[in-house]
Amino acid sequence: MDKMGRGVVTVRFFAVLRERVGTPSIEIAYSEPLTVEGLLTAVQELHPAFKPFRDYVRVAVNKRYAGLDQALSAGDEVAFITPVSGG
Amino acid sequence: MREEIRTDTCWVRIDGERLDADSAYAFVVSDRAGAVDLFIGTTRRWTGDHETTGLSYEAYVEMAIDEMMRLCTETLTRWPIVRACIHHRIGEVAPSQASVVVAVSSPHRADAFEACRFLIDRLKEDVPIWKRERFADGTEDWVRPMG
């Protein structure tokens, strides 16, 4: 994020979300300060296929789970994590 | 593919090949430990009369490795654990093969049991790995994609 609050973040999708959205990752450019919650809304508007999953995903920022109010910085790698099922 | 982090006390690995429980045991066993707890999760063909003919796992590998390492480190702060190890397989896994191996060593057994259970329970909640099941009728799907 520069002084004007602009930047680009990468959003990664896995498993069912990767299939439904149709791509493993997208880039989201923003022009004012962006939080995790704002990013969820932005992605939902761009990719309606994400909408049914929105209430179920946890969000990771730079490989760590993050809260909805976390501010994003340019270059962050964000992942939308549907309920996991390893083991 | 294979990604891993290995320190003196923790070893985590995501592996595209068959898991080797012996290597996990060999890592944790110690002359300071009187107990080794080894948990092996295997792929289940039968759930009641419901047949799963194949399973595959996908991971957010870079984060899964970090999360597994955080869990191992946490067990070392919560229990008197000597060493902890988690190996998880990804890709196709045939029925009855190991999909996950967890190994923990401690001076006495109660701590090893507790820490081993903590690791597998938390892995199933937090580590970004997803299971896809293939059924006898040819259909396949991700396991509970909405929780």
Side-chain angles (χ1 to χ4, degrees):
Chain A
M1 186 164 67
D2 66 12
K3 285 177 185 166
M4 303 298 288
R6 292 177 301 216
V8 177
V9 295
T10 302
V11 183
R12 296 184 64 180
F13 306 112
F14 299 89
V16 68
L17 210 48
R18 174 177 50 72
E19 290 181 355
R20 299 290 175 84
V21 176
T23 178
S25 72
I26 58 174
E27 295 203 329
I28 298 284
Y30 56 94
S31 54
E32 52 189 67
L34 184 65
T35 62
V36 165
E37 188 162 28
L39 180 67
L40 285 164
T41 300
V43 171
Q44 181 180 311
E45 283 167 7
L46 278 169
H47 292 277
F50 169 60
K51 192 174 180 185
F53 296 94
R54 177 176 176 158
D55 290 343
Y56 300 95
V57 295
R58 282 201 280 173
V59 178
V61 178
N62 299 326
K63 304 188 289 180
R64 292 202 79 137
Y65 288 112
L68 289 174
D69 57 352
Q70 181 163 329
L72 296 170
S73 301
D76 280 348
E77 176 176 292
V78 182
F80 289 178
I81 310 227
T82 54
V84 302
S85 49
Chain B
M1 72 74 60
R2 175 177 285 172
E3 292 287 333
E4 64 185 350
I5 299 175
R6 184 170 176 153
T7 67
D8 288 345
T9 50
C10 295
W11 184 21
V12 299
R13 173 186 273 183
I14 303 249
D15 204 331
E17 305 293 325
R18 216 170 161 135
L19 299 182
D20 175 16
D22 289 347
S23 71
Y25 170 74
F27 175 73
V28 300
V29 73
S30 160
D31 57 12
R32 288 182 292 133
V36 170
D37 230 61
L38 182 65
F39 172 82
I40 303 175
T42 57
T43 49
R44 187 172 58 243
R45 179 186 288 275
W46 293 102
T47 303
D49 56 2
H50 193 68
E51 185 177 11
T52 300
T53 54
L55 284 138
S56 65
Y57 291 85
E58 175 175 331
Y60 177 10
V61 175
E62 308 94 303
M63 178 173 169
I65 284 279
D66 282 3
E67 278 293 312
M68 284 157 57
M69 197 65 191
R70 277 194 277 275
L71 293 179
C72 284
T73 306
E74 190 177 342
T75 61
L76 264 69
T77 64
R78 289 179 60 165
W79 291 276
I81 297 304
V82 180
R83 292 195 193 94
C85 177
I86 309 174
H87 291 181
H88 202 296
R89 188 161 168 195
I90 58 169
E92 284 289 325
V93 185
S96 303
Q97 288 190 359
S99 52
V100 63
V101 172
V102 179
V104 172
S105 58
S106 63
H108 304 288
R109 69 184 183 283
D111 296 314
F113 277 124
E114 277 186 32
C116 188
R117 176 163 199 146
F118 168 86
L119 285 176
I120 185 62
D121 286 353
R122 287 286 301 275
L123 177 142
K124 290 176 87 81
E125 283 175 26
D126 291 338
V127 177
I129 299 175
W130 297 268
K131 185 187 308 185
R132 186 179 175 86
E133 285 186 287
R134 196 162 52 246
F135 303 108
D137 65 1
T139 61
E140 51 185 279
D141 205 357
W142 298 98
V143 173
R144 56 180 192 90
M146 293 189 186

